[in-house]
């Protein structure tokens, strides 16, 4: 008997097309199960001891906010492969919030932005850092000339340290506005 989702789909795409799709999906499922059966194997003794042979543990901090909780980053051949909470860190004392607990996936994410991009005619295009800063500078200059410095607001980041926040505030003042704020989360 068809369930409601199937009924909705068959109504929308037509019974014959739906049956073809179901057959393809079934075949794909069977192939996937077969393939995954072929690729599994027992872990070697070395892998049981350490699934990332030759890796080293590096003390670092979470950069998602200025608290800077301690993280132990495990690195193999220059790639961050696993993370642990730094139990002995003097600030976080072995604690993390959910952002810090998943910091490794911010680094490994496939959608991570690694360089400046600009959208032109609907297409994203990579540009150099020099070009990015030139473009931003030009826009800020144009805004100041056209509408005055108070037309701009500078919004800081919870990632900033106290020193970075200080320079950020100075930069806004030199631009000519007091329109600054911080995105503190603590
Ligand atoms: S409080 Fe959370 S986001 Fe901030 S440094 Fe610690 S783990 Fe990272």
């Amino acid at each position: 008997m068809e369930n409601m989702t199937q009924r909705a789909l068959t109504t929308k795409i037509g019974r014959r097309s739906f049956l073809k799709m179901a057959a393809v999906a079934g075949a794909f499922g069977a192939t996937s199960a077969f393939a995954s059966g072929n690729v599994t194997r027992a872990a070697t003794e070395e892998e049981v001891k350490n699934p990332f042979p030759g890796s080293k543990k590096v003390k670092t901090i979470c950069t998602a906010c200025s608290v800077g909780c301690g993280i132990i980053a495990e690195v193999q051949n220059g790639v961050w492969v696993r993370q642990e909470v730094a139990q002995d860190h003097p600030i976080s004392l072995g604690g993390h919030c959910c952002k810090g607990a998943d910091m490794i996936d911010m680094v490994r994410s496939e959608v991570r932005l690694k360089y400046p991009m600009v959208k032109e005619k609907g297409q994203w295009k990579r540009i150099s850092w020099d070009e990015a800063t030139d473009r931003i500078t030009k826009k800020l200059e144009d805004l100041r000339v056209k509408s005055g410095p108070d037309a701009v607001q500078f919004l800081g980041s919870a990632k900033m340290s106290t020193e970075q926040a200080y320079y950020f505030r100075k930069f806004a003042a030199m631009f000519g506005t007091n329109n600054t704020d911080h995105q503190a989360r603590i």
Side-chain angles (χ1 to χ4, degrees):
M1 185 193 274
E2 288 175 331
N3 63 29
M4 280 181 66
T5 312
Q6 283 173 325
R7 258 202 304 278
L9 274 170
T10 48
T11 308
K12 207 167 174 193
I13 64 178
R15 179 170 296 273
R16 185 168 293 173
S17 303
F18 177 80
L19 290 175
K20 272 189 201 162
M21 283 165 61
V24 170
F28 177 74
T31 312
S32 304
F34 181 71
S36 60
N38 273 349
V39 296
T40 55
R41 62 169 170 79
T44 63
E45 218 171 281
E46 193 182 9
E47 285 167 341
V48 171
K49 260 195 281 168
N50 180 359
F52 304 104
S55 65
K56 57 180 182 178
K57 293 187 176 175
V58 181
K59 278 189 176 180
T60 185
I61 56 167
C62 169
T63 57
C65 87
S66 50
V67 173
C69 295
I71 288 176
I72 307 289
E74 193 170 341
V75 180
Q76 185 190 42
N77 299 327
V79 177
W80 189 3
V81 290
R82 201 160 55 164
Q83 84 169 67
E84 286 171 30
V85 175
Q87 298 292 346
D88 60 348
H89 192 272
I91 305 295
S92 49
L93 304 172
H96 270 165
C97 76
C98 56
K99 286 176 289 175
D102 196 32
M103 185 50 52
I104 187 171
D105 285 323
M106 286 183 83
V107 173
R108 300 192 302 187
S109 169
E110 283 175 14
V111 293
R112 177 182 166 191
L113 192 60
K114 296 178 184 154
Y115 30 72
M117 305 280 285
V118 70
K119 201 172 195 181
E120 276 173 0
K121 295 181 186 150
Q123 293 295 315
W124 286 106
K125 176 181 111 177
R126 182 176 178 172
I127 57 173
S128 70
W129 285 99
D130 281 347
E131 188 181 346
T133 49
D134 285 350
R135 279 174 180 249
I136 294 165
T137 305
K138 173 90 175 57
K139 284 197 173 182
L140 283 170
E141 274 175 348
D142 289 351
L143 269 172
R144 187 162 63 173
V145 168
K146 194 172 152 220
S147 311
D150 283 337
V152 176
Q153 185 195 15
F154 291 84
L155 183 61
S157 161
K159 291 185 179 211
M160 281 183 175
S161 66
T162 309
E163 293 76 11
Q164 286 170 327
Y166 173 84
Y167 282 118
F168 183 73
R169 165 77 187 91
K170 281 279 184 199
F171 178 70
M174 284 193 290
F175 185 81
T177 184
N178 282 328
N179 288 342
T180 63
D181 207 341
H182 196 264
Q183 195 207 352
R185 299 202 180 100
I186 307 302

